[in-house]
Amino acid sequence: MGAAIRVEGLGKRYTIAHPLQDGRYRTLRESLTRGVASLFRPRASDEEFWALRGVGFEVPRGQRIGIIGRNGAGKSTLLKLLSRITDPSEGRLTLEGRVASLLEVGTGFHPELTGRENVFLNGAILGMSRAEVRAKFDAIVAFGEVERFLDTPVKRYSSGMYTRLAFSVAAHLDPDVLVVDEVLAVGDAAFQRKCLEKMEDVNASGRTVVFVSHQLAAVRRLCNRCLVLEGGHLALDSTDVDAAIGAYLRGDGAQEAVWEGTPAGAPSFAPRRLALTLDDGTPLRGAAPVSSRIRVELDAEVADPDPSLVAGLAVFDEAGELLFVSHFTDGPERDWPRVEPGMLRLACALPGGLLNEGAYRVEVVAELRCRESILEPGRSPAAVWLRLSGGLSESPYWVSRRPGILAPRLEWRGRLPG
Amino acid sequence: MSPGTGGPAPREVVVIEAGRTEGRYWRDLWRYRELFYVMAWRDVVIRYKQAAFGVAWAVLRPLLTMAAFAFVFGRIARLPSDGVPYPLFVLAAMLPWQLFSGSISDGSLVLVTNANVVSKTYFPRMVLPASSVAVNLFDLGVSLGLLAALMGWYRFAPGAGLFLLPLALLPLVALALGGALLLSALTARYRDFRYAVPFLVQFWLYVSPVGYGLDAVPARYRGLFQANPLAPLLEGVRSCILGRPLPGGWVAYAAACVSAGAALAVGVAYFRRVERGFADVI
């Protein structure tokens, strides 16, 4: 008794068949020919891969647990296992009470349906009964601030309205255990704050929350325990959330700041590698001084070039606040790198003395201009952490982090009188 | 309210162990019946919202197909219809046929079109193909209005057999659900199946007594035709609606009912076996 979630030796294995070779999906024809072929020789083409292995922990009722880790550390897999979307390959999972998972806001929302209809639809998908949705309907609508558009099809909603309505349905779930993914990365800052407050309310009522996020500040604010995943294993488990986050950032920094991709993106732009190096080309390990220029190398596979491709970086602070976006098409058109089928290799540099001490998330973002988003800021899996520490100034007064996000050194001089 | 919602009710415990399908599957399915209603309702609303003619579409489709069949088989081929006006004769089997064909074609795609929901939430996946069948049952209800209008036009009085219609639809629904389960699971796993289903439906229509009656089939081929479980079931529905004796006999009908039950069992068994992996392959 007492544990809302018990995880014992949990593991999930995926089989990777021909990666991206002939499309993402298996066809019957292929399976038949492979089946016949395997009668004569053992199948060697399939590769096994443990996304998660040997993970065990227990979450007492009422605890708010944050799960952090780099991309590919197994966070999403763990989340999918906890929310019963996929089955473990080994180990055991015990859930006590009603579990609701929120891996995306607005799952199942249909553009043709009105706001009112979508509230009922989405509520049912999240596991609410119609009576429950009816009882909470007014509260949901008020929280989402969409009263006037209740009978408008959501295809006519702005993305902000859409997100607000979708989130408010989710926010009114009343489960014993709430499993939440990176859902707060959407919506405007004011609404994000409102959501965080709502989730704190949820906590106050003694609910168990599992929260996965890149937004370390949100984890810090919301959680009273923190798990760090690394390479599919549990690297750290601590009720001192600040310490765990600090250790995660340090541990993360000790490794090279390189992301090498599991397939992401689209045929017009699929990032494969993102690496940060120092100015002399040596890979960045640990923290870099604030004053140093950081070079960024970005390689992406382009199978199907599109003239409207816009790609580059988005840089977030630790709180998940977007600081800036930079694209390879920011200069005059004649200077843009040519986009041709094959590997597109891009480089740029983050100027020294721009950002303050701290941890920053550098993401690959891309879109087909005004048409289609490929990798949206805040949702891109192709990302690395950049840690800056020291190198602030030679001034004896400037010894530690200054308030504020930026740390530029302006040139001060005395003016001659007159 | 479902159990586990309220505070005072004892909290339920779910244990998931690798390689063991959990025992509470059917209870879960029952608990998610609301989702089933909502999914079916969603598809009905969307179908009638999106189609340019709205409800007219549900009437026009069987009406035009019926007209073409009645002309080809009734006027050109001059096949017998046992004294019933040929359009009525065709429509009486066309409606259950569309229930079946609609269910398996919608059902085959339902997991793929709802891939987003499947990969982001847990629920017994069987809800989805079942809602495809429910939507087609709703369409059947709409089309029955068309049938009633046509009967009025021809001043044709249905017999007491009409009361047996729900009973006659039962094995058909079982066959449709079995087919929808099987094809949805196969399409989720093997994407090329989606190209096979339209062909399967078209072929099945030709060998089923929709545009013609089983009586019109020469005696030496009739056994072969009745091996198609759909043939006696469609004739069964037609007999109920038109109030005439069942062609082909009760033995064939009973055999078809058994086949329909077996199809449902196979569909459920296969679906359950592969269901747990859907989120990984979709």
Side-chain angles (χ1 to χ4, degrees), chain A residues 44-104:
Chain A
S45 61
D46 285 355
E47 204 184 313
E48 281 192 350
F49 158 68
W50 286 90
L52 202 70
R53 198 152 199 199
V55 171
F57 57 90
E58 219 172 89
V59 186
R61 195 173 302 145
Q63 196 169 52
R64 292 145 5 227
I65 186 164
I67 299 175
I68 58 178
R70 290 151 59 100
N71 291 307
K75 295 185 309 253
S76 333
T77 305
L78 179 57
L79 216 59
K80 281 194 170 178
L81 290 169
L82 289 176
S83 42
R84 301 172 67 192
I85 291 165
T86 185
D87 259 19
S89 312
E90 61 179 29
R92 199 150 85 121
L93 170 65
T94 313
L95 299 165
E96 205 181 304
R98 197 166 82 140
V99 180
S101 56
L102 199 52
L103 267 58
E104 177 192 59

Side-chain angles (χ1 to χ4, degrees), chain B residues 159-185:
Chain B
L162 199 58
F163 291 109
L164 291 177
L165 184 60
L167 210 60
L169 285 174
L170 209 60
L172 207 63
V173 169
L175 189 62
L177 184 57
L181 287 170
L182 194 64
L183 290 174
S184 64

Side-chain angles (χ1 to χ4, degrees), chain A residues 12 14 24-29 31 61 80-81 83-98 101 103-104 106-108 110 112-114 117-118 120-121 124-132 174 176, chain B residues 1-6 11-22 24 28 32 34-35 37-39 41-42 45-46 49-50 116-123 125 188-193 276-277 279-282:
Chain A
K12 175 74 183 177
Y14 285 103
R24 282 169 54 202
Y25 303 118
R26 225 191 311 190
T27 63
L28 180 63
R29 197 190 49 185
S31 292
R61 195 173 302 145
K80 281 194 170 178
L81 290 169
S83 42
R84 301 172 67 192
I85 291 165
T86 185
D87 259 19
S89 312
E90 61 179 29
R92 199 150 85 121
L93 170 65
T94 313
L95 299 165
E96 205 181 304
R98 197 166 82 140
S101 56
L103 267 58
E104 177 192 59
T107 305
H110 197 287
E112 295 286 340
L113 297 179
T114 65
E117 288 165 339
N118 270 311
F120 279 90
L121 173 63
I125 288 173
L126 293 174
M128 281 194 251
S129 68
R130 272 176 303 179
E132 222 179 321
D174 197 20
D176 300 312
Chain B
M1 282 235 172
S2 51
T5 313
R11 288 165 203 268
E12 63 154 336
V13 177
V14 178
V15 181
I16 298 157
E17 216 163 332
R20 270 221 334 230
T21 47
E22 59 201 291
R24 55 188 68 243
D28 247 15
Y32 277 85
E34 291 236 345
L35 182 62
Y37 303 144
V38 169
M39 282 300 203
W41 160 83
R42 174 192 74 166
V45 171
I46 289 164
K49 261 189 193 177
Q50 269 177 339
N116 182 37
V117 182
V118 170
S119 59
K120 296 288 184 195
T121 44
Y122 166 79
F123 57 90
R125 312 305 190 195
R189 259 179 113 74
Y190 308 108
R191 291 307 163 97
D192 44 0
F193 243 90
R276 328 245 38 206
D280 298 334
V281 297
I282 261 177

